[in-house]
Amino acid sequence: MALAGACAVAAALGVALLRARRRHAQALGERGWLLERERELASRTAVDAERARIARELHDIVSHTVSVMVVQASAAQEVLTTMPGEAATALRAVQDAGRAALTELRHLLGLLAPGAAGEGEDDTGGGDALEPQPSLRRLSALVDRIAFAGLPVEVRVSGEPRPLPAGVDLTAYRIVQEALTNALKHGDGGKAEVTVRYAERSLRVEVLNTGPSVLKSDPPGRPAGAAGRGLTGLRARVAVYGGDLDARRRLGGGYRVRARIPLDPA
């Protein structure tokens, strides 16, 4: 009887151990499935974020460059017969803007598909070397293009300029680029003012342009309170660094874009 009882207990323990092992294996399988799902979701989120970033980059390139090219081409057409020299200068500006856009687009294509950016190179004369990433150090070239397209720009820099993190530097440049491009497209042909302020703990960027008073009818092409994709993308960029961006019509007329980007103390 004792032996039979011991055998029964051993059998019960064996069955319990087998069930425990099965439950453990099932739990490991479920945990592996959950980890795989988490990895897939993380990978998908990263891909979506990168696609959104590239979409913003493409918008910046296409919107700004094409707007300048359209204005320059229109100016060249108007003076083609009366002032051929001025027309030739405007057309060269269109060519330069197109080459610069191709360079930046190749850079983005290199991010999407390394090795593919160099395929199908044409003879536009842009060369194989990629231009440096846009930054505030290249602000004068942007201002010159906008001014040549018909919008005079005054630039003020306050504080002690210093090296900035690459992402902050690029974001600040894109803010000025987007604001000036919108002013060129939607403004009344007046002027624009750009202020870059290097504070101790933040970088502040402000772009103002002239236009009809807010008390009058809305300016063509920009309904009151409208926020285009470019400004929406810039708000997201600035928010990444804990900053904020405000864009609105000015009471006295025109439009104002103002951003504050926190910086680590030196």
Side-chain angles (χ1 to χ4, degrees), residues 210-232:
T210 59
S213 171
V214 72
L215 302 177
K216 299 181 181 179
S217 59
D218 293 333
R222 183 186 291 275
R229 178 178 179 179
L231 290 176
T232 301

Side-chain angles (χ1 to χ4, degrees), residues 13-221:
L13 290 175
V15 171
L17 180 61
L18 181 61
R19 288 177 177 173
R21 287 178 176 176
R22 287 177 178 174
R23 286 195 296 269
H24 181 67
Q26 182 179 3
L28 288 178
E30 291 178 353
R31 183 180 178 184
W33 179 82
L34 289 174
L35 290 174
E36 184 64 25
R37 286 287 296 168
E38 289 179 359
R39 282 194 294 267
E40 290 179 359
L41 289 175
S43 177
R44 190 177 307 167
T45 300
V47 169
D48 290 343
E50 183 65 10
R51 285 177 176 173
R53 186 187 71 82
I54 293 174
R56 290 193 296 269
E57 289 290 325
L58 288 172
H59 170 270
D60 291 341
I61 295 170
V62 173
S63 176
H64 166 72
T65 306
V66 173
S67 296
V68 172
M69 292 172 69
V70 168
V71 172
Q72 296 285 12
S74 299
Q77 184 178 20
E78 291 180 1
V79 299
L80 186 60
T81 56
T82 57
M83 292 184 290
E86 295 293 333
T89 301
L91 290 175
R92 281 194 297 271
V94 171
Q95 186 181 47
D96 292 342
R99 286 177 176 171
L102 283 176
T103 298
E104 294 201 47
L105 288 173
R106 289 193 189 104
H107 174 73
L108 290 178
L109 288 176
L111 296 177
L112 290 170
E119 297 177 359
E121 295 280 356
D122 53 25
D123 57 352
T124 56
D128 293 332
L130 295 177
E131 292 185 2
Q133 187 83 318
S135 73
L136 291 178
R137 292 187 300 274
R138 302 174 62 196
L139 193 59
S140 59
L142 169 65
V143 169
D144 289 343
R145 289 198 301 269
I146 293 293
F148 191 78
L151 179 66
V153 182
E154 181 180 350
V155 179
R156 299 188 184 94
V157 178
S158 64
E160 184 64 28
R162 59 185 186 271
L164 300 170
V168 172
D169 203 358
L170 175 61
T171 298
Y173 178 92
R174 294 304 190 195
I175 291 170
V176 178
Q177 182 185 54
E178 178 71 15
L180 290 180
T181 299
N182 287 340
L184 181 65
K185 290 192 295 186
H186 306 297
D188 63 348
K191 66 176 183 177
E193 299 176 4
V194 176
T195 302
V196 179
R197 182 174 295 108
Y198 291 85
E200 181 180 358
R201 297 180 178 273
S202 66
L203 177 72
R204 297 178 181 270
V205 179
E206 183 179 68
V207 181
L208 307 174
N209 71 284
T210 59
S213 171
V214 72
L215 302 177
K216 299 181 181 179
S217 59
D218 293 333

